Amino acid sequence: MAMTTNDRSAKLIRSFVRCLRQFRFAQRTTYNTTTTTIFPQPEQTTSNVHNPGDRVYDFEDTKHLFSSVKTYKLIRSTANLSMASVEPVVDLGMWLLTSRLMEVGLFRELVLGVVKHTVYEHFVAGADTGEVGRTVKKLWESGLRGMMDYGLEHALDNESCDRNAQQVFKTVESTYFLPPSSVSFVVVKITAICPISLLMRVSDLLRWEYKSPSSFRLPWKLKTLPIFAECSTFYHTLERPSPLTTTEEHDLELAHKRLTIICDKALESNVRVVIDAEDTSIQPGIDYFTYSAAVKYNQGKKPLISGTIQAYLKDAGQRLFEAKKAADKMGLPIGFKLVRGAYMSSERKLANSLGVESPIHNSISDTHHCFNECASYMLDEVSSGPGGLILATHNLESGKMAARKARDLGIGKDSDKLEFASLYGMADAMSFGLRNAGFSVSKYLPFGPVLEIMPYLLRRAEENKGLLSSSYLDRHLMIKELKRRVNACGWLGLTEGESPLKTQASSIVEVKM
């Protein structure tokens, strides 16, 4: 008797699961414990056994956990995460993408084709606003939201800044055509709308003003919130900087106008803006843009503009506290995205080259402690007052701590004060677990053409080697769910689904359970 479509499909899933099991035992993964925490096994504490209601994540029921994920997506995600967890593979890919071989037309097209159908499709939400919009709708249908981020990198001149600002404007505009509340934030990078050289100059001047407030005034400075703390890094500015030239002041005004146009559109479109953080050499300038925009646009209890605090910096907690208290005195709602940080290697190398203490915490445990303390402080603050908090983390313990405290404080999905977030293509088990626990959860959605998004992919690969290798939990649970679906269908009951992999395999089907 001829093999049926369902038979072939089930055999494909079964074969894939068997190959993945063999691959997991064969691979040798190096975990970088200085940059990430390895995801632990599902919680099995005594308190959870006797009090299931206290549990934040439920990873036992994979059927419920991945109920919104089609089988072909589980297969593709497991394969991509398994490949990305092998550091030699990542290293080889990074070498190829930055080598002179990419100047050879045929080789370049071949490599870009492989990238597009593997890591690009897994970690990038689309090539344009139309494609990322479809991704947002799929997330919304699964109970998640999107943080839209056009993958723009550092701009060098006003011409590129104008183009970038227009792309961000279009991104904000596109949210109007998506389901209400399906987009939690649009991400803005100040480095894309203000020349890097000018951001460095502004940061130097702000640092020197803080060090010499009585003798150094900045005539161009707008009303803002505290940018520094006493323990902040100042070694970037060893000498008194010269004032901004007339041209630089004009360029600074243009950068402010670009941000104003974006914020005006966000206000009109009823979508919030979060401004990303960068390295310490330019972060003061970024905070200046963020806080001056917050002073102008944040009103009532819901902040339109949120900034980013990197918890791996030793001054993170103090800077957060100073900015929040100053905002409270002004009656200003302020929002923060809390992350661990992404420039550890470059920050430490620079500090070492200058013979000064690194601005990064000495241990990963100190970074975890800082992150959790900042999260706890902000949860207390927003539970009884204005403001907002985005917890961008892939760390299960931090998520669990924050979720439990939010429950105790009565901060739920409807409060609009707390948003959990993680990178698209990563920590899906955690995202679905928090969603199932009743919290608002977003995925960070970088998008753009393959060539334009390449710097983002390279940076993610370099920064997150340890994080990618710690994707064990997602891979483990996805394989478990794939096996469950095969066993549950008993080789029967599979129905045809809309799978983009149909052309690559004779038939991939959606398992309806």
Side-chain angles (χ1 to χ4, degrees):
M1 181 180 295
M3 183 179 290
T4 66
T5 298
N6 292 344
D7 290 334
R8 289 195 302 269
S9 303
K11 270 198 170 184
L12 180 61
I13 297 172
R14 185 179 178 182
S15 175
F16 177 79
V17 172
R18 184 170 58 251
C19 290
L20 257 295
R21 188 188 300 118
Q22 294 170 351
F23 175 81
R24 287 164 56 203
F25 282 111
Q27 74 182 68
R28 298 178 61 187
T29 304
T30 301
Y31 294 104
N32 186 349
T33 57
T34 63
T35 59
T36 188
T37 293
I38 303 306
F39 287 142
Q41 292 290 330
E43 302 169 56
Q44 295 291 340
T45 64
T46 303
S47 61
N48 285 339
V49 174
H50 294 289
N51 183 15
D54 186 50
R55 180 182 293 182
V56 173
Y57 310 114
D58 181 6
F59 295 142
E60 294 298 318
D61 185 0
T62 58
K63 177 181 178 181
H64 185 212
L65 190 68
F66 295 110
S67 60
S68 59
V69 184
K70 288 179 169 59
T71 298
Y72 80 83
K73 181 67 181 296
L74 280 179
I75 293 175
R76 190 181 71 177
S77 296
T78 307
N80 280 320
L81 287 174
S82 296
M83 178 183 65
S85 70
V86 183
E87 287 198 17
V89 173
V90 177
D91 290 338
L92 175 62
M94 291 174 59
W95 178 82
L96 285 174
L97 291 170
T98 56
S99 71
R100 288 192 173 184
L101 290 172
M102 292 297 288
E103 298 175 7
V104 180
L106 183 61
F107 181 85
R108 180 168 167 270
E109 292 303 315
L110 176 63
V111 171
L112 290 180
V114 172
V115 169
K116 179 175 176 59
H117 293 294
T118 53
V119 292
Y120 177 89
E121 289 184 352
H122 185 81
F123 295 110
V124 180
D128 51 35
T129 54
E131 290 187 7
V132 74
R134 288 190 284 275
T135 300
V136 168
K137 290 177 181 178
K138 290 178 182 177
L139 288 174
W140 183 242
E141 291 169 358
S142 70
L144 304 177
R145 306 207 289 174
M147 297 174 65
M148 297 173 67
D149 171 36
Y150 191 83
L152 304 166
E153 288 300 312
H154 294 181
L156 301 177
D157 53 41
N158 283 321
E159 184 178 354
S160 58
C161 287
D162 287 338
R163 288 196 303 269
N164 294 344
Q166 185 61 27
Q167 291 288 358
V168 178
F169 181 89
K170 289 180 179 178
T171 301
V172 175
E173 189 175 43
S174 72
T175 65
Y176 180 81
F177 303 99
L178 296 173
S181 299
S182 61
V183 177
S184 55
F185 293 88
V186 169
V187 179
V188 174
K189 292 179 175 65
I190 300 300
T191 53
I193 61 173
C194 178
I196 293 296
S197 58
L198 180 57
L199 272 177
M200 288 183 176
R201 291 274 287 129
V202 169
S203 297
D204 281 338
L205 289 162
L206 290 169
R207 271 188 287 262
W208 202 266
E209 182 201 42
Y210 182 85
K211 292 170 63 176
S212 307
S214 61
S215 61
F216 200 78
R217 300 294 180 187
L218 303 175
W220 44 263
K221 186 178 177 182
L222 301 177
K223 191 173 184 180
T224 184
L225 299 174
I227 293 171
F228 302 102
E230 290 185 9
C231 58
S232 293
T233 294
F234 294 97
Y235 59 75
H236 295 284
T237 312
L238 300 177
E239 298 179 354
R240 181 186 178 110
S242 60
L244 293 182
T245 65
T246 302
T247 299
E248 287 174 328
E249 287 190 5
H250 175 67
D251 290 348
L252 182 60
E253 184 179 354
L254 289 178
H256 278 296
K257 286 182 178 179
R258 294 183 192 106
L259 183 57
T260 296
I261 290 172
I262 292 168
C263 292
D264 284 342
K265 192 62 181 180
L267 186 63
E268 177 189 329
S269 304
N270 194 31
V271 63
R272 291 178 288 175
V273 169
V274 60
I275 295 178
D276 265 352
E278 301 284 344
D279 63 84
T280 56
S281 67
I282 57 176
Q283 190 57 43
I286 292 170
D287 286 340
Y288 166 67
F289 273 93
T290 302
Y291 294 151
S292 60
V295 169
K296 180 177 180 179
Y297 287 97
N298 289 2
Q299 299 176 1
K301 294 185 176 182
K302 181 179 176 181
L304 179 73
I305 311 295
S306 293
T308 299
I309 295 289
Q310 300 186 97
Y312 72 171
L313 294 172
K314 294 174 181 176
D315 69 342
Q318 192 62 34
R319 286 191 296 112
L320 173 67
F321 177 81
E322 297 290 349
K324 181 66 173 68
K325 287 306 176 186
D328 289 344
K329 288 182 180 179
M330 296 170 60
L332 182 73
I334 190 70
F336 294 100
K337 179 178 72 168
L338 188 60
V339 302
R340 276 173 169 75
Y343 299 92
M344 182 177 294
S345 297
S346 59
E347 294 283 12
R348 284 180 170 162
K349 284 180 181 177
L350 177 60
N352 288 337
S353 70
L354 296 174
V356 297
E357 181 182 350
S358 171
I360 306 297
H361 284 299
N362 296 330
S363 68
I364 188 62
S365 60
D366 288 342
T367 297
H368 293 332
H369 177 74
C370 180
F371 185 96
N372 293 337
E373 287 295 303
C374 289
S376 180
Y377 168 73
M378 280 302 297
L379 286 171
D380 282 329
E381 291 294 305
V382 301
S383 68
S384 57
L389 176 63
I390 308 165
L391 285 178
T393 181
H394 300 153
N395 185 283
L396 286 175
E397 289 302 314
S398 292
K400 179 172 63 176
M401 179 280 296
R404 285 177 173 169
K405 177 151 190 167
R407 280 178 176 174
D408 293 340
L409 294 171
I411 303 175
K413 187 173 184 178
D414 297 331
S415 72
D416 211 23
K417 291 188 173 184
L418 172 63
E419 188 84 17
F420 287 96
S422 61
L423 293 173
Y424 181 66
M426 296 184 65
D428 285 350
M430 180 178 176
S431 296
F432 292 137
L434 289 167
R435 173 204 63 186
N436 293 345
F439 293 99
S440 185
V441 184
S442 286
K443 302 300 282 188
Y444 187 97
L445 305 177
F447 71 98
V450 177
L451 283 177
E452 289 187 23
I453 209 74
M454 196 63 68
Y456 167 86
L457 290 173
L458 288 171
R459 198 169 66 248
R460 287 274 82 85
E462 177 64 29
E463 294 162 359
N464 293 324
K465 285 183 185 178
L467 190 60
L468 287 169
S469 63
S470 70
S471 63
Y472 168 79
L473 178 64
D474 275 342
R475 288 180 281 137
H476 168 74
L477 293 175
M478 287 176 181
I479 291 173
K480 181 180 177 181
E481 172 59 11
L482 285 169
K483 291 167 66 177
R484 186 203 67 79
R485 293 185 184 188
V486 171
N487 293 333
C489 74
W491 304 101
L492 297 173
L494 297 177
T495 58
E496 195 74 41
E498 295 182 0
S499 170
L501 300 184
K502 276 186 182 179
T503 58
Q504 300 175 33
S506 56
S507 123
I508 301 288
V509 295
E510 176 187 1
V511 184
K512 303 263 189 186
M513 301 289 178

